[in-house]
Amino acid sequence: MNRAFVYGMSVEGENFTDRVQETKRLKLDFENGINVILVSPRRMGKSSIVKKVKSEITNPAIKVIFMDIYDCRSEYDFYNRFASVLMKETATKTEQLFENIKRFLVRLTPKIAFSPEPLSEVSLSLGITPQNYQPEEILQLPELIAKEQGVHLVICIDEFQQIGEFSDSLTIQKRLRGIWQHQRNVSYCLFGSKKHLMTKLFQNRKMPFYQFGEMMYLDKIPTADWVTFICSRFESQGKHISEALAQKICETVEGHSSYVQQLAWNVLAETEKETTDQDFENGVQALMAQCSGLFEQHIQGLTSYQLNFIRAICDGVHTDFGSKAILEQYNLGTKSNISRIKTALRDRELIDVTKDGVFLEDPVFRLWLRRI
């Protein structure tokens, strides 16, 4: 299906916009066995750029493996996901999948469900437990497989911040780092959607994964590149949008990748032939309606102090929250209360605390708050 704009999922092909320099650098890292940590706000295209680079690796001596551990809730959930994806992705046919399991996981009797789809659609349940395999044995699997197959493996793990949520997480992180850092035929690309948790894992000197690899930050795609992309996608659908309105789409959502595509699609859906200001406004209203349920969940359960803090940010306050004037104007309680408010809102992924001040992480959430 030829989609004009794609949001809510990773994008590929002609829907992938810009990221030329980042793509080039990430591909170079993959080809040279450099560990990479991708950091950016949510839905800025981390998964998309990793999958794009994976598709561009043509050297048969390099195999890129992608896995998502979002639904892993424990250490052994992770080991089962890690091993099962590894087994499937390093097998070129069903027979080799069986051979991989028999060779590298001899103490297991896995459950395999087949479908008419390609091998990647095979459902594999390994049943790894502390009784049949130690963590170190599972974590060494990539190195063993890479050596036997004569390849270099690049293992890309999405939602890696889940590791930090596991029971006894620090011990698990030490275990992973201790084994992975000595592997010579495997490199890792680690990324996730919770920026503050990823930052804590990789930029805190006291944490095991500190300086594990190259830190790569995904900035916003330049507006000029978005404008070119939006105009071309409208033209592909037999419609026209002016560069001014295309730029307005970007500025309204502050260049947030997923929202740019979503708002552009809404405006395209409103356009008959030539996009008008009213088409744009209708598109924005549609975006507000689409996000309303999620944003209402965001504010449920917030204290009056937390809501007042958010209101202050919406009014353009980003620093000096502890000043007497700000405390009184927005009813934030005592000066000592500010730190607790920041921690609570950051843990809920509602704010981003930077060197320049405190900002709402979601630009459309801010727009929605202003409109209600």
Side-chain angles (χ1 to χ4, degrees):
M1 179 184 296
N2 181 24
R3 300 181 180 181
F5 299 99
V6 176
Y7 57 92
M9 63 180 70
S10 59
V11 300
E12 56 188 32
E14 61 185 7
N15 291 107
F16 189 89
T17 314
D18 194 65
R19 299 284 188 217
V20 175
Q21 293 303 316
E22 296 97 327
T23 301
K24 180 180 179 181
R25 180 56 186 240
L26 189 59
K27 184 180 179 183
L28 189 66
D29 289 338
F30 282 13
E31 291 174 338
N32 287 273
I34 305 297
N35 295 328
V36 181
I37 295 91
L38 279 177
V39 178
S40 79
R42 298 183 65 186
R43 294 180 295 179
M44 289 292 286
K46 292 181 291 296
S47 299
S48 296
I49 191 173
V50 171
K51 290 180 179 179
K52 177 176 175 61
V53 172
K54 177 182 178 181
S55 70
E56 292 185 355
I57 298 291
T58 57
N59 185 344
I62 300 174
K63 288 186 178 181
V64 182
I65 296 172
F66 184 98
M67 65 181 73
D68 188 331
I69 63 169
Y70 175 76
D71 58 346
C72 294
R73 295 293 179 264
S74 69
E75 181 179 10
Y76 270 82
D77 278 352
F78 170 71
Y79 296 145
N80 274 280
R81 177 65 50 77
F82 186 79
S84 63
V85 173
L86 188 63
M87 291 295 106
K88 290 195 292 182
E89 292 292 317
T90 56
T92 57
K93 52 186 178 181
T94 305
E95 293 79 3
Q96 189 176 1
L97 174 59
F98 282 112
E99 290 299 320
N100 279 355
I101 295 172
K102 287 195 297 182
R103 180 168 178 77
F104 297 107
L105 296 169
V106 295
R107 298 194 294 276
L108 295 180
T109 305
K111 296 179 181 178
I112 304 177
F114 296 96
S115 73
E117 301 300 322
L119 180 61
S120 59
E121 298 299 321
V122 171
S123 175
L124 177 62
S125 178
L126 294 175
I128 298 171
T129 68
Q131 286 70 44
N132 53 39
Y133 275 97
Q134 293 300 306
E136 292 76 10
E137 295 178 276
I138 302 303
L139 296 173
Q140 286 286 14
L141 283 174
E143 183 75 358
L144 297 175
I145 294 173
K147 284 183 178 180
E148 179 171 281
Q149 296 187 357
V151 299
H152 181 89
L153 296 181
V154 182
I155 299 182
C156 306
I157 305 180
D158 197 357
E159 304 296 354
F160 189 77
Q161 78 279 339
Q162 288 298 118
I163 298 292
E165 303 292 309
F166 295 166
S167 176
D168 198 14
S169 172
L170 192 58
T171 298
I172 298 170
Q173 292 175 51
K174 290 178 180 177
R175 182 178 292 133
L176 268 59
R177 172 69 188 258
I179 293 174
W180 288 353
Q181 69 182 351
H182 296 298
Q183 295 177 344
R184 295 294 174 262
N185 299 283
V186 185
S187 56
Y188 294 85
C189 177
L190 310 175
F191 54 106
S193 61
K194 297 183 179 180
K195 181 182 176 182
H196 75 284
L197 292 180
M198 290 293 291
T199 301
K200 178 181 177 181
L201 287 176
F202 294 101
Q203 293 185 302
N204 187 329
R205 293 176 180 270
K206 297 180 180 180
M207 298 300 282
F209 273 98
Y210 179 69
Q211 291 190 333
F212 178 69
E214 175 186 329
M215 298 292 296
M216 180 180 288
Y217 299 88
L218 290 187
D219 293 325
K220 295 176 181 177
I221 295 172
T223 299
D225 294 321
W226 272 125
V227 169
T228 301
F229 173 76
I230 292 169
C231 291
S232 67
R233 301 308 291 154
F234 269 69
E235 294 295 335
S236 73
Q237 301 297 309
K239 301 181 181 183
H240 177 77
I241 184 172
S242 68
E243 290 188 358
L245 281 177
Q247 181 172 332
K248 195 172 181 181
I249 288 174
C250 302
E251 292 172 346
T252 300
V253 296
E254 299 179 17
H256 191 289
S257 297
S258 181
Y259 282 138
V260 169
Q261 298 240 24
Q262 186 171 357
L263 179 54
W265 166 247
N266 287 344
V267 175
L268 178 68
E270 295 291 334
T271 301
E272 290 294 333
K273 294 297 289 185
E274 179 87 21
T275 304
T276 65
D277 289 336
Q278 187 58 54
D279 294 332
F280 170 80
E281 181 56 32
N282 291 343
V284 173
Q285 291 297 335
L287 181 63
M288 295 297 99
Q290 290 158 359
C291 298
S292 179
L294 174 63
F295 294 157
E296 286 173 359
Q297 290 180 23
H298 283 349
I299 63 176
Q300 285 180 359
L302 295 182
T303 67
S304 296
Y305 289 139
Q306 291 165 354
L307 287 169
N308 290 342
F309 191 89
I310 289 175
R311 183 163 62 89
I313 296 175
C314 288
D315 287 347
V317 179
H318 302 292
T319 59
D320 299 323
F321 290 94
S323 68
K324 183 178 180 181
I326 299 299
L327 288 173
E328 291 180 353
Q329 180 180 352
Y330 291 98
N331 187 21
L332 298 176
T334 63
K335 187 175 182 179
S336 61
N337 197 36
I338 299 302
S339 178
R340 291 191 292 271
I341 294 174
K342 285 183 181 178
T343 299
L345 293 178
R346 187 173 62 180
D347 288 345
R348 293 184 68 152
E349 300 179 72
L350 296 181
I351 63 171
D352 187 17
V353 181
T354 73
K355 60 181 178 61
D356 297 319
V358 183
F359 301 85
L360 288 181
E361 191 166 282
D362 190 323
V364 178
F365 181 43
R366 178 168 56 256
L367 183 62
W368 180 78
L369 287 168
R370 285 173 175 168
R371 293 202 171 203
I372 66 170

